[in-house]
Amino acid sequence: MKTDDIPQDDNPTLGGVRKQVYAVDDDGRYTAKPTTGWEVESIVTSQAVAEYARLAADALERARAGSASPLEFHMYDRRLELPTLAAAAGLWQWQVRRHLKPGPFRSLSPAQLELYATTLGISVDELRGLPA
Amino acid sequence: MTTPISFTHRHAGHCESGVISSLLRHRGLNISEPMVLGLSAALTFAHFPFIKVGGLPLTSYRMPPGAIYRGLARRLGFRMHTERFRNHAAGARALDAHLHRGQPVGVQTSVFWLPYFPPAMRFHFNAHNLIVFGKDEGEYLVSDPVFEHPQRCPAADLEKARFVKGLLSPRGLIYFPENVPATIDLAKLVPAAIRRTVNMMLRTPIPFIGVRAMRRLSVKIAGLPKAVDPRLARLYVGQIVRMQEEIGTGGGGFRFMYAAFLQEAGEQLNRPHLIEASAMMTATGDAWREFASVSARYIKDKSQVDTEPLSRAMAVAADHEETVYRFLLKPH
């Protein structure tokens, strides 16, 4: 890549952050130069963000219908899924899977609720509730 | 406020190589980021179908986290001071104590909990690296190589980011070089480091690493439309490109950084064949960018079903890689 070819696409996903990339200048020498982003990166980052948003929206609908616990919504909303949430909370996946159901979720102890809330970085009240 | 440490922040292409280069420069050893990448032999390609990240297979264009500083310390012969902690408070105290002594500290963190990251980039990736070089009114002064300028991070957030659990969890890891060598014997180290990278890319006996892994993945991508539904196929391809372009400097970026290493080494050692290899590595990076481009088009255009163009682009990148490694293997 030539320095003139370094993309400067003002990626919205970078929020104004400029990254450093290595490219070849006119004299054939490598140099590091900042970039405002490449559209390709923006596309794949947005795709990953959108996938979590889609999973969260599905979970929200299920939670409102009473077929899933609020935990499932908050899990996706915080960009986690079953294996990563279990690992981050230090629980087994079968335990977390149970807590994604409304019944077992309601009978969680205050300590368990606190664990999930801390892992997700939200309050216990937020964890129990759903966005309006 | 602790005594301010006079520390020069440097914008880098990748977090770990940037952190190591800056920490060594702080100690008076002038070593560029590409040189750190090259000498640590951290360039690679790996695709593990059975290790899942966010439900999708792990693709990596560089050695696992920690390989850069470990590889470099071993080759240059310096000692890296490392500490991990069970206890959060002990981890915070140790960091503060090093800062108090005037020591800038390398820290491994999750990206998700760092408030200064743009929201769209905050994923649960636990192997980010940054330098803490001071503390002021409950906030750490952070030199994050991925950012153009130094940042500030509230102490509670950094602690959370240091002690996340899960894949590649940092367990509070902090590190800094205890000593640095006075000089670097490039004539000896460069060929050894290159040999290691070339061997890994061409001769790794397992098919998940090296050029062979690229070819396997290329075949797999061609078969995606038949194997899974279109949404999953797009996520699968997206993950490969994300690991290439977004996490650190990724694939294309790493190839260019390695090309910069080959050029710098070639000039310092006066070896024309390394300069030639540098140009070939640049072409390799360009081939990866082409793959990313073609893939992004496929991800965006929902009417495109055929993944043949992606598969071909990756096969081209694999050919470029093989050519440059074979060239480096020949005696010059």
Side-chain angles (χ1 to χ4, degrees), chain A residues 1 14 18-20 22 28-30 38-39 45 47-48 51 54 78-81 87 118-119, chain B residues 11-12 33 54 113 118-119 122 124 148 160 231 234 238 245-246 256 259 263 267 282 286:
Chain A
M1 185 169 59
L14 287 175
R18 293 207 294 176
K19 300 209 306 186
Q20 190 88 309
Y22 289 83
R29 296 194 51 85
Y30 260 97
W38 187 24
E39 195 198 356
T45 305
Q47 182 199 24
E51 176 62 9
R54 188 188 67 86
R78 303 299 278 166
R79 296 182 187 169
L80 289 161
E81 53 287 310
T118 317
T119 305
Chain B
H11 198 191
E33 186 191 13
W113 301 103
R122 289 173 66 179
H124 291 274
E148 228 172 333
K160 183 125 192 158
R231 192 183 60 81
R234 284 186 165 74
E245 290 302 325
E246 175 193 282
F256 295 132
Q263 186 180 67
E267 281 171 2
T282 304
D286 289 333

mmCIF file of all heavy atoms in Angstrom, chain A residues 1 14 18-20 22 28-30 38-39 45 47-48 51 54 78-81 87 118-119, chain B residues 11-12 33 54 113 118-119 122 124 148 160 231 234 238 245-246 256 259 263 267 282 286:
data_model
loop_
_atom_site.group_PDB
_atom_site.id
_atom_site.type_symbol
_atom_site.label_atom_id
_atom_site.label_comp_id
_atom_site.label_asym_id
_atom_site.label_seq_id
_atom_site.Cartn_x
_atom_site.Cartn_y
_atom_site.Cartn_z
ATOM 1 N N MET A 1 0.841 -1.203 0.000
ATOM 2 C CA MET A 1 0.000 0.000 0.000
ATOM 3 C C MET A 1 0.875 1.253 0.000
ATOM 4 O O MET A 1 1.822 1.372 0.755
ATOM 5 C CB MET A 1 -0.909 -0.012 1.248
ATOM 6 C CG MET A 1 -1.905 1.121 1.274
ATOM 7 S SD MET A 1 -3.171 0.943 2.562
ATOM 8 C CE MET A 1 -2.201 0.865 4.069
ATOM 9 N N LEU A 14 -15.232 4.451 14.169
ATOM 10 C CA LEU A 14 -14.022 4.845 14.888
ATOM 11 C C LEU A 14 -14.255 6.071 15.769
ATOM 12 O O LEU A 14 -13.408 6.424 16.588
ATOM 13 C CB LEU A 14 -12.880 5.131 13.904
ATOM 14 C CG LEU A 14 -12.245 3.912 13.232
ATOM 15 C CD1 LEU A 14 -11.211 4.354 12.207
ATOM 16 C CD2 LEU A 14 -11.586 3.002 14.262
ATOM 17 N N ARG A 18 -8.146 8.211 15.067
ATOM 18 C CA ARG A 18 -7.337 7.883 13.892
ATOM 19 C C ARG A 18 -6.397 6.732 14.229
ATOM 20 O O ARG A 18 -5.776 6.720 15.286
ATOM 21 C CB ARG A 18 -6.521 9.101 13.450
ATOM 22 C CG ARG A 18 -7.396 10.229 12.925
ATOM 23 C CD ARG A 18 -6.657 11.084 11.926
ATOM 24 N NE ARG A 18 -5.556 11.821 12.523
ATOM 25 C CZ ARG A 18 -4.709 12.587 11.820
ATOM 26 N NH1 ARG A 18 -4.852 12.688 10.517
ATOM 27 N NH2 ARG A 18 -3.730 13.228 12.422
ATOM 28 N N LYS A 19 -6.313 5.773 13.334
ATOM 29 C CA LYS A 19 -5.414 4.633 13.545
ATOM 30 C C LYS A 19 -4.128 4.862 12.755
ATOM 31 O O LYS A 19 -4.095 5.631 11.804
ATOM 32 C CB LYS A 19 -6.079 3.340 13.063
ATOM 33 C CG LYS A 19 -7.383 3.035 13.782
ATOM 34 C CD LYS A 19 -7.661 1.547 13.846
ATOM 35 C CE LYS A 19 -7.633 0.865 12.498
ATOM 36 N NZ LYS A 19 -8.055 -0.553 12.623
ATOM 37 N N GLN A 20 -3.096 4.149 13.162
ATOM 38 C CA GLN A 20 -1.804 4.277 12.498
ATOM 39 C C GLN A 20 -1.609 3.083 11.566
ATOM 40 O O GLN A 20 -1.809 1.944 11.981
ATOM 41 C CB GLN A 20 -0.712 4.297 13.573
ATOM 42 C CG GLN A 20 0.647 4.654 13.076
ATOM 43 C CD GLN A 20 0.877 6.154 13.081
ATOM 44 O OE1 GLN A 20 0.058 6.901 12.561
ATOM 45 N NE2 GLN A 20 1.964 6.597 13.663
ATOM 46 N N TYR A 22 1.023 1.347 8.313
ATOM 47 C CA TYR A 22 2.310 1.405 7.622
ATOM 48 C C TYR A 22 2.083 1.348 6.124
ATOM 49 O O TYR A 22 1.299 0.540 5.636
ATOM 50 C CB TYR A 22 3.209 0.240 8.070
ATOM 51 C CG TYR A 22 3.703 0.433 9.485
ATOM 52 C CD1 TYR A 22 2.917 0.074 10.573
ATOM 53 C CD2 TYR A 22 4.947 1.006 9.732
ATOM 54 C CE1 TYR A 22 3.353 0.267 11.876
ATOM 55 C CE2 TYR A 22 5.396 1.212 11.029
ATOM 56 C CZ TYR A 22 4.597 0.837 12.089
ATOM 57 O OH TYR A 22 5.031 1.052 13.374
ATOM 58 N N GLY A 28 9.628 4.848 -1.909
ATOM 59 C CA GLY A 28 9.674 3.417 -1.633
ATOM 60 C C GLY A 28 10.003 3.087 -0.187
ATOM 61 O O GLY A 28 10.286 1.937 0.147
ATOM 62 N N ARG A 29 9.974 4.094 0.683
ATOM 63 C CA ARG A 29 10.321 3.858 2.082
ATOM 64 C C ARG A 29 9.082 3.691 2.942
ATOM 65 O O ARG A 29 8.095 4.399 2.773
ATOM 66 C CB ARG A 29 11.164 5.013 2.626
ATOM 67 C CG ARG A 29 12.516 5.145 1.928
ATOM 68 C CD ARG A 29 13.414 6.056 2.739
ATOM 69 N NE ARG A 29 13.457 5.624 4.142
ATOM 70 C CZ ARG A 29 14.276 4.683 4.590
ATOM 71 N NH1 ARG A 29 15.123 4.103 3.788
ATOM 72 N NH2 ARG A 29 14.247 4.341 5.855
ATOM 73 N N TYR A 30 9.167 2.746 3.902
ATOM 74 C CA TYR A 30 8.032 2.543 4.793
ATOM 75 C C TYR A 30 7.926 3.655 5.816
ATOM 76 O O TYR A 30 8.931 4.120 6.366
ATOM 77 C CB TYR A 30 8.134 1.186 5.513
ATOM 78 C CG TYR A 30 7.249 0.168 4.843
ATOM 79 C CD1 TYR A 30 7.766 -0.724 3.915
ATOM 80 C CD2 TYR A 30 5.882 0.151 5.099
ATOM 81 C CE1 TYR A 30 6.945 -1.625 3.270
ATOM 82 C CE2 TYR A 30 5.046 -0.749 4.450
ATOM 83 C CZ TYR A 30 5.581 -1.629 3.545
ATOM 84 O OH TYR A 30 4.759 -2.509 2.900
ATOM 85 N N TRP A 38 -11.129 2.854 7.123
ATOM 86 C CA TRP A 38 -11.383 2.257 5.820
ATOM 87 C C TRP A 38 -12.816 1.745 5.839
ATOM 88 O O TRP A 38 -13.233 1.120 6.821
ATOM 89 C CB TRP A 38 -10.384 1.113 5.587
ATOM 90 C CG TRP A 38 -10.417 0.502 4.225
ATOM 91 C CD1 TRP A 38 -10.853 1.067 3.066
ATOM 92 C CD2 TRP A 38 -9.978 -0.820 3.873
ATOM 93 N NE1 TRP A 38 -10.702 0.208 2.018
ATOM 94 C CE2 TRP A 38 -10.173 -0.958 2.482
ATOM 95 C CE3 TRP A 38 -9.425 -1.884 4.595
ATOM 96 C CZ2 TRP A 38 -9.841 -2.141 1.800
ATOM 97 C CZ3 TRP A 38 -9.095 -3.054 3.917
ATOM 98 C CH2 TRP A 38 -9.300 -3.175 2.528
ATOM 99 N N GLU A 39 -13.545 2.001 4.770
ATOM 100 C CA GLU A 39 -14.957 1.629 4.722
ATOM 101 C C GLU A 39 -15.150 0.139 5.005
ATOM 102 O O GLU A 39 -16.123 -0.266 5.641
ATOM 103 C CB GLU A 39 -15.541 1.990 3.351
ATOM 104 C CG GLU A 39 -17.057 1.968 3.333
ATOM 105 C CD GLU A 39 -17.625 1.884 1.929
ATOM 106 O OE1 GLU A 39 -16.841 1.911 0.947
ATOM 107 O OE2 GLU A 39 -18.856 1.766 1.814
ATOM 108 N N THR A 45 -17.306 -4.054 11.198
ATOM 109 C CA THR A 45 -17.589 -3.690 12.588
ATOM 110 C C THR A 45 -19.090 -3.489 12.773
ATOM 111 O O THR A 45 -19.688 -4.016 13.720
ATOM 112 C CB THR A 45 -16.852 -2.397 12.994
ATOM 113 O OG1 THR A 45 -15.465 -2.566 12.750
ATOM 114 C CG2 THR A 45 -17.054 -2.095 14.464
ATOM 115 N N GLN A 47 -21.430 -4.746 11.061
ATOM 116 C CA GLN A 47 -22.088 -6.047 10.943
ATOM 117 C C GLN A 47 -22.104 -6.753 12.301
ATOM 118 O O GLN A 47 -23.132 -7.288 12.716
ATOM 119 C CB GLN A 47 -21.351 -6.915 9.909
ATOM 120 C CG GLN A 47 -22.008 -8.267 9.692
ATOM 121 C CD GLN A 47 -21.051 -9.278 9.047
ATOM 122 O OE1 GLN A 47 -19.837 -9.146 9.147
ATOM 123 N NE2 GLN A 47 -21.628 -10.267 8.386
ATOM 124 N N ALA A 48 -20.964 -6.727 12.992
ATOM 125 C CA ALA A 48 -20.875 -7.393 14.293
ATOM 126 C C ALA A 48 -21.764 -6.692 15.323
ATOM 127 O O ALA A 48 -22.459 -7.341 16.115
ATOM 128 C CB ALA A 48 -19.426 -7.425 14.775
ATOM 129 N N GLU A 51 -25.380 -7.523 14.604
ATOM 130 C CA GLU A 51 -25.755 -8.891 14.968
ATOM 131 C C GLU A 51 -26.138 -8.953 16.452
ATOM 132 O O GLU A 51 -27.129 -9.592 16.812
ATOM 133 C CB GLU A 51 -24.603 -9.857 14.649
ATOM 134 C CG GLU A 51 -24.819 -11.308 15.074
ATOM 135 C CD GLU A 51 -26.006 -11.988 14.376
ATOM 136 O OE1 GLU A 51 -26.581 -11.410 13.438
ATOM 137 O OE2 GLU A 51 -26.366 -13.110 14.811
ATOM 138 N N ARG A 54 -29.503 -7.355 16.819
ATOM 139 C CA ARG A 54 -30.574 -8.238 16.353
ATOM 140 C C ARG A 54 -30.911 -9.276 17.425
ATOM 141 O O ARG A 54 -32.083 -9.512 17.742
ATOM 142 C CB ARG A 54 -30.129 -8.950 15.064
ATOM 143 C CG ARG A 54 -31.200 -9.756 14.365
ATOM 144 C CD ARG A 54 -30.623 -10.581 13.217
ATOM 145 N NE ARG A 54 -29.739 -11.645 13.684
ATOM 146 C CZ ARG A 54 -30.160 -12.861 14.068
ATOM 147 N NH1 ARG A 54 -31.439 -13.159 14.023
ATOM 148 N NH2 ARG A 54 -29.298 -13.756 14.505
ATOM 149 N N ARG A 78 -25.112 -6.324 26.076
ATOM 150 C CA ARG A 78 -23.740 -6.029 26.513
ATOM 151 C C ARG A 78 -22.717 -6.801 25.682
ATOM 152 O O ARG A 78 -21.583 -7.021 26.113
ATOM 153 C CB ARG A 78 -23.573 -6.357 28.000
ATOM 154 C CG ARG A 78 -24.552 -5.608 28.897
ATOM 155 C CD ARG A 78 -24.401 -4.108 28.801
ATOM 156 N NE ARG A 78 -23.314 -3.604 29.626
ATOM 157 C CZ ARG A 78 -22.812 -2.371 29.520
ATOM 158 N NH1 ARG A 78 -23.276 -1.544 28.627
ATOM 159 N NH2 ARG A 78 -21.847 -1.982 30.317
ATOM 160 N N ARG A 79 -23.144 -7.241 24.496
ATOM 161 C CA ARG A 79 -22.269 -7.904 23.515
ATOM 162 C C ARG A 79 -21.620 -9.187 24.042
ATOM 163 O O ARG A 79 -20.436 -9.448 23.816
ATOM 164 C CB ARG A 79 -21.201 -6.928 23.018
ATOM 165 C CG ARG A 79 -21.829 -5.762 22.266
ATOM 166 C CD ARG A 79 -20.807 -4.813 21.713
ATOM 167 N NE ARG A 79 -21.487 -3.642 21.162
ATOM 168 C CZ ARG A 79 -20.876 -2.518 20.773
ATOM 169 N NH1 ARG A 79 -19.580 -2.442 20.850
ATOM 170 N NH2 ARG A 79 -21.547 -1.512 20.308
ATOM 171 N N LEU A 80 -22.422 -9.967 24.771
ATOM 172 C CA LEU A 80 -21.968 -11.277 25.222
ATOM 173 C C LEU A 80 -22.927 -12.325 24.680
ATOM 174 O O LEU A 80 -24.038 -12.011 24.261
ATOM 175 C CB LEU A 80 -21.961 -11.333 26.750
ATOM 176 C CG LEU A 80 -20.880 -10.502 27.459
ATOM 177 C CD1 LEU A 80 -21.252 -10.275 28.912
ATOM 178 C CD2 LEU A 80 -19.521 -11.184 27.359
ATOM 179 N N GLU A 81 -22.459 -13.598 24.683
ATOM 180 C CA GLU A 81 -23.391 -14.677 24.402
ATOM 181 C C GLU A 81 -23.132 -15.762 25.447
ATOM 182 O O GLU A 81 -22.277 -15.578 26.317
ATOM 183 C CB GLU A 81 -23.305 -15.179 22.967
ATOM 184 C CG GLU A 81 -21.957 -15.583 22.438
ATOM 185 C CD GLU A 81 -21.044 -14.406 22.158
ATOM 186 O OE1 GLU A 81 -21.460 -13.452 21.478
ATOM 187 O OE2 GLU A 81 -19.909 -14.462 22.669
ATOM 188 N N ALA A 87 -18.263 -17.633 31.017
ATOM 189 C CA ALA A 87 -16.842 -17.491 31.345
ATOM 190 C C ALA A 87 -16.590 -16.217 32.156
ATOM 191 O O ALA A 87 -15.848 -16.224 33.135
ATOM 192 C CB ALA A 87 -16.004 -17.474 30.069
ATOM 193 N N THR A 118 -22.822 -7.166 38.082
ATOM 194 C CA THR A 118 -21.431 -6.695 38.025
ATOM 195 C C THR A 118 -20.769 -7.133 36.724
ATOM 196 O O THR A 118 -20.059 -6.362 36.079
ATOM 197 C CB THR A 118 -20.607 -7.282 39.201
ATOM 198 O OG1 THR A 118 -21.410 -7.202 40.381
ATOM 199 C CG2 THR A 118 -19.321 -6.516 39.411
ATOM 200 N N THR A 119 -20.996 -8.404 36.347
ATOM 201 C CA THR A 119 -20.388 -8.917 35.118
ATOM 202 C C THR A 119 -20.827 -8.097 33.909
ATOM 203 O O THR A 119 -20.049 -7.844 33.000
ATOM 204 C CB THR A 119 -20.775 -10.397 34.917
ATOM 205 O OG1 THR A 119 -20.416 -11.117 36.091
ATOM 206 C CG2 THR A 119 -20.063 -10.989 33.727
ATOM 207 N N HIS B 11 2.113 6.808 18.698
ATOM 208 C CA HIS B 11 0.996 6.197 17.983
ATOM 209 C C HIS B 11 1.545 4.992 17.223
ATOM 210 O O HIS B 11 2.537 5.122 16.506
ATOM 211 C CB HIS B 11 0.433 7.226 17.007
ATOM 212 C CG HIS B 11 -0.938 6.914 16.521
ATOM 213 N ND1 HIS B 11 -1.522 7.592 15.483
ATOM 214 C CD2 HIS B 11 -1.862 6.010 16.924
ATOM 215 C CE1 HIS B 11 -2.741 7.114 15.271
ATOM 216 N NE2 HIS B 11 -2.975 6.152 16.134
ATOM 217 N N ALA B 12 0.925 3.828 17.391
ATOM 218 C CA ALA B 12 1.477 2.626 16.759
ATOM 219 C C ALA B 12 0.402 1.902 15.959
ATOM 220 O O ALA B 12 -0.781 2.193 16.069
ATOM 221 C CB ALA B 12 2.052 1.697 17.824
ATOM 222 N N GLU B 33 8.628 -0.143 16.089
ATOM 223 C CA GLU B 33 7.552 -1.115 16.216
ATOM 224 C C GLU B 33 7.693 -2.267 15.217
ATOM 225 O O GLU B 33 7.571 -3.438 15.601
ATOM 226 C CB GLU B 33 6.190 -0.425 16.054
ATOM 227 C CG GLU B 33 5.036 -1.369 16.324
ATOM 228 C CD GLU B 33 3.680 -0.824 15.921
ATOM 229 O OE1 GLU B 33 3.622 0.188 15.206
ATOM 230 O OE2 GLU B 33 2.675 -1.422 16.326
ATOM 231 N N GLY B 54 -17.184 -15.533 20.033
ATOM 232 C CA GLY B 54 -18.521 -15.047 19.719
ATOM 233 C C GLY B 54 -19.271 -16.022 18.825
ATOM 234 O O GLY B 54 -19.999 -15.619 17.927
ATOM 235 N N TRP B 113 -14.355 -2.490 28.598
ATOM 236 C CA TRP B 113 -14.525 -1.641 29.780
ATOM 237 C C TRP B 113 -13.716 -0.359 29.740
ATOM 238 O O TRP B 113 -13.650 0.365 30.728
ATOM 239 C CB TRP B 113 -14.204 -2.451 31.041
ATOM 240 C CG TRP B 113 -15.085 -3.647 31.158
ATOM 241 C CD1 TRP B 113 -14.755 -4.942 30.880
ATOM 242 C CD2 TRP B 113 -16.471 -3.663 31.535
ATOM 243 N NE1 TRP B 113 -15.846 -5.759 31.056
ATOM 244 C CE2 TRP B 113 -16.906 -5.005 31.459
ATOM 245 C CE3 TRP B 113 -17.373 -2.677 31.920
ATOM 246 C CZ2 TRP B 113 -18.216 -5.380 31.760
ATOM 247 C CZ3 TRP B 113 -18.677 -3.060 32.226
ATOM 248 C CH2 TRP B 113 -19.081 -4.388 32.143
ATOM 249 N N PRO B 118 -14.205 4.259 21.276
ATOM 250 C CA PRO B 118 -15.500 4.549 20.663
ATOM 251 C C PRO B 118 -16.447 3.358 20.864
ATOM 252 O O PRO B 118 -16.006 2.204 20.781
ATOM 253 C CB PRO B 118 -15.167 4.742 19.184
ATOM 254 C CG PRO B 118 -13.778 4.272 18.996
ATOM 255 C CD PRO B 118 -13.103 4.255 20.325
ATOM 256 N N PRO B 119 -17.733 3.630 21.145
ATOM 257 C CA PRO B 119 -18.684 2.563 21.493
ATOM 258 C C PRO B 119 -18.713 1.401 20.506
ATOM 259 O O PRO B 119 -18.762 0.245 20.923
ATOM 260 C CB PRO B 119 -20.037 3.286 21.497
ATOM 261 C CG PRO B 119 -19.712 4.721 21.742
ATOM 262 C CD PRO B 119 -18.356 4.966 21.174
ATOM 263 N N ARG B 122 -16.124 -1.307 21.180
ATOM 264 C CA ARG B 122 -16.014 -1.939 22.493
ATOM 265 C C ARG B 122 -16.600 -3.343 22.495
ATOM 266 O O ARG B 122 -17.764 -3.548 22.793
ATOM 267 C CB ARG B 122 -16.677 -1.054 23.550
ATOM 268 C CG ARG B 122 -15.856 0.194 23.818
ATOM 269 C CD ARG B 122 -16.553 1.163 24.723
ATOM 270 N NE ARG B 122 -16.720 0.640 26.071
ATOM 271 C CZ ARG B 122 -17.299 1.334 27.045
ATOM 272 N NH1 ARG B 122 -17.765 2.525 26.824
ATOM 273 N NH2 ARG B 122 -17.420 0.805 28.241
ATOM 274 N N HIS B 124 -15.845 -7.607 23.687
ATOM 275 C CA HIS B 124 -15.203 -8.311 24.802
ATOM 276 C C HIS B 124 -13.936 -9.004 24.328
ATOM 277 O O HIS B 124 -13.851 -10.221 24.279
ATOM 278 C CB HIS B 124 -16.184 -9.306 25.427
ATOM 279 C CG HIS B 124 -17.304 -8.613 26.139
ATOM 280 N ND1 HIS B 124 -17.217 -8.203 27.437
ATOM 281 C CD2 HIS B 124 -18.512 -8.219 25.703
ATOM 282 C CE1 HIS B 124 -18.346 -7.598 27.791
ATOM 283 N NE2 HIS B 124 -19.146 -7.591 26.755
ATOM 284 N N GLU B 148 -4.005 8.225 18.975
ATOM 285 C CA GLU B 148 -3.047 9.238 18.562
ATOM 286 C C GLU B 148 -2.442 9.980 19.754
ATOM 287 O O GLU B 148 -1.278 10.355 19.733
ATOM 288 C CB GLU B 148 -3.771 10.238 17.662
ATOM 289 C CG GLU B 148 -3.046 10.561 16.405
ATOM 290 C CD GLU B 148 -3.916 11.402 15.477
ATOM 291 O OE1 GLU B 148 -5.157 11.314 15.540
ATOM 292 O OE2 GLU B 148 -3.332 12.163 14.688
ATOM 293 N N LYS B 160 -11.608 -2.831 36.416
ATOM 294 C CA LYS B 160 -12.583 -3.747 35.813
ATOM 295 C C LYS B 160 -11.997 -4.376 34.538
ATOM 296 O O LYS B 160 -12.091 -5.581 34.313
ATOM 297 C CB LYS B 160 -13.861 -2.964 35.487
ATOM 298 C CG LYS B 160 -14.956 -3.808 34.939
ATOM 299 C CD LYS B 160 -16.250 -3.686 35.724
ATOM 300 C CE LYS B 160 -17.164 -4.786 35.255
ATOM 301 N NZ LYS B 160 -18.192 -5.188 36.103
ATOM 302 N N ARG B 231 -27.075 -15.702 6.166
ATOM 303 C CA ARG B 231 -26.759 -14.791 7.261
ATOM 304 C C ARG B 231 -25.496 -15.256 7.995
ATOM 305 O O ARG B 231 -24.580 -14.493 8.259
ATOM 306 C CB ARG B 231 -27.941 -14.720 8.234
ATOM 307 C CG ARG B 231 -27.846 -13.596 9.262
ATOM 308 C CD ARG B 231 -29.021 -13.663 10.234
ATOM 309 N NE ARG B 231 -29.049 -14.940 10.949
ATOM 310 C CZ ARG B 231 -28.310 -15.210 12.008
ATOM 311 N NH1 ARG B 231 -27.511 -14.297 12.488
ATOM 312 N NH2 ARG B 231 -28.363 -16.399 12.584
ATOM 313 N N ARG B 234 -22.320 -14.809 6.001
ATOM 314 C CA ARG B 234 -21.822 -13.422 6.038
ATOM 315 C C ARG B 234 -21.132 -13.119 7.363
ATOM 316 O O ARG B 234 -20.126 -12.419 7.402
ATOM 317 C CB ARG B 234 -22.967 -12.445 5.784
ATOM 318 C CG ARG B 234 -23.352 -12.409 4.324
ATOM 319 C CD ARG B 234 -24.376 -11.361 3.970
ATOM 320 N NE ARG B 234 -24.389 -11.210 2.527
ATOM 321 C CZ ARG B 234 -24.921 -12.084 1.679
ATOM 322 N NH1 ARG B 234 -25.508 -13.172 2.136
ATOM 323 N NH2 ARG B 234 -24.854 -11.899 0.379
ATOM 324 N N GLY B 238 -17.375 -12.088 7.814
ATOM 325 C CA GLY B 238 -17.158 -10.834 8.545
ATOM 326 C C GLY B 238 -16.156 -11.000 9.669
ATOM 327 O O GLY B 238 -15.298 -10.143 9.884
ATOM 328 N N GLU B 245 -8.733 -6.646 9.914
ATOM 329 C CA GLU B 245 -8.685 -5.194 9.779
ATOM 330 C C GLU B 245 -8.950 -4.434 11.066
ATOM 331 O O GLU B 245 -8.547 -3.304 11.222
ATOM 332 C CB GLU B 245 -9.693 -4.736 8.704
ATOM 333 C CG GLU B 245 -9.289 -5.139 7.302
ATOM 334 C CD GLU B 245 -7.913 -4.593 6.926
ATOM 335 O OE1 GLU B 245 -7.572 -3.476 7.359
ATOM 336 O OE2 GLU B 245 -7.169 -5.294 6.225
ATOM 337 N N GLU B 246 -9.652 -5.051 11.993
ATOM 338 C CA GLU B 246 -10.111 -4.254 13.114
ATOM 339 C C GLU B 246 -9.326 -4.496 14.385
ATOM 340 O O GLU B 246 -8.947 -3.565 15.080
ATOM 341 C CB GLU B 246 -11.591 -4.578 13.360
ATOM 342 C CG GLU B 246 -12.182 -3.915 14.576
ATOM 343 C CD GLU B 246 -13.511 -4.552 14.898
ATOM 344 O OE1 GLU B 246 -14.491 -4.229 14.228
ATOM 345 O OE2 GLU B 246 -13.557 -5.396 15.793
ATOM 346 N N PHE B 256 2.028 -5.333 6.197
ATOM 347 C CA PHE B 256 2.750 -4.094 5.891
ATOM 348 C C PHE B 256 3.792 -3.794 6.970
ATOM 349 O O PHE B 256 4.886 -3.314 6.686
ATOM 350 C CB PHE B 256 1.776 -2.916 5.746
ATOM 351 C CG PHE B 256 0.851 -3.064 4.566
ATOM 352 C CD1 PHE B 256 -0.518 -2.867 4.708
ATOM 353 C CD2 PHE B 256 1.341 -3.399 3.314
ATOM 354 C CE1 PHE B 256 -1.374 -3.011 3.624
ATOM 355 C CE2 PHE B 256 0.493 -3.543 2.218
ATOM 356 C CZ PHE B 256 -0.871 -3.347 2.376
ATOM 357 N N ALA B 259 6.641 -5.970 6.365
ATOM 358 C CA ALA B 259 7.398 -5.463 5.217
ATOM 359 C C ALA B 259 8.298 -4.312 5.658
ATOM 360 O O ALA B 259 9.437 -4.192 5.203
ATOM 361 C CB ALA B 259 6.437 -5.010 4.112
ATOM 362 N N GLN B 263 12.382 -4.149 5.368
ATOM 363 C CA GLN B 263 13.087 -3.017 4.773
ATOM 364 C C GLN B 263 14.132 -2.444 5.750
ATOM 365 O O GLN B 263 15.283 -2.234 5.387
ATOM 366 C CB GLN B 263 12.081 -1.926 4.388
ATOM 367 C CG GLN B 263 12.716 -0.785 3.623
ATOM 368 C CD GLN B 263 11.689 0.277 3.257
ATOM 369 O OE1 GLN B 263 11.142 0.955 4.129
ATOM 370 N NE2 GLN B 263 11.399 0.397 1.977
ATOM 371 N N GLU B 267 18.179 -2.555 5.193
ATOM 372 C CA GLU B 267 19.005 -1.346 5.102
ATOM 373 C C GLU B 267 20.116 -1.359 6.145
ATOM 374 O O GLU B 267 21.265 -1.052 5.851
ATOM 375 C CB GLU B 267 18.130 -0.104 5.273
ATOM 376 C CG GLU B 267 17.389 0.243 3.989
ATOM 377 C CD GLU B 267 16.353 1.327 4.190
ATOM 378 O OE1 GLU B 267 16.224 1.850 5.318
ATOM 379 O OE2 GLU B 267 15.658 1.631 3.206
ATOM 380 N N THR B 282 4.895 -6.418 0.807
ATOM 381 C CA THR B 282 3.922 -5.351 0.553
ATOM 382 C C THR B 282 2.830 -5.866 -0.389
ATOM 383 O O THR B 282 1.636 -5.620 -0.167
ATOM 384 C CB THR B 282 4.620 -4.120 -0.075
ATOM 385 O OG1 THR B 282 5.669 -3.707 0.795
ATOM 386 C CG2 THR B 282 3.644 -2.973 -0.264
ATOM 387 N N ASP B 286 -1.199 -6.133 0.171
ATOM 388 C CA ASP B 286 -2.188 -5.636 -0.792
ATOM 389 C C ASP B 286 -3.177 -6.727 -1.175
ATOM 390 O O ASP B 286 -4.374 -6.464 -1.358
ATOM 391 C CB ASP B 286 -1.482 -5.096 -2.038
ATOM 392 C CG ASP B 286 -0.741 -3.778 -1.771
ATOM 393 O OD1 ASP B 286 -1.180 -3.046 -0.855
ATOM 394 O OD2 ASP B 286 0.259 -3.494 -2.454
#
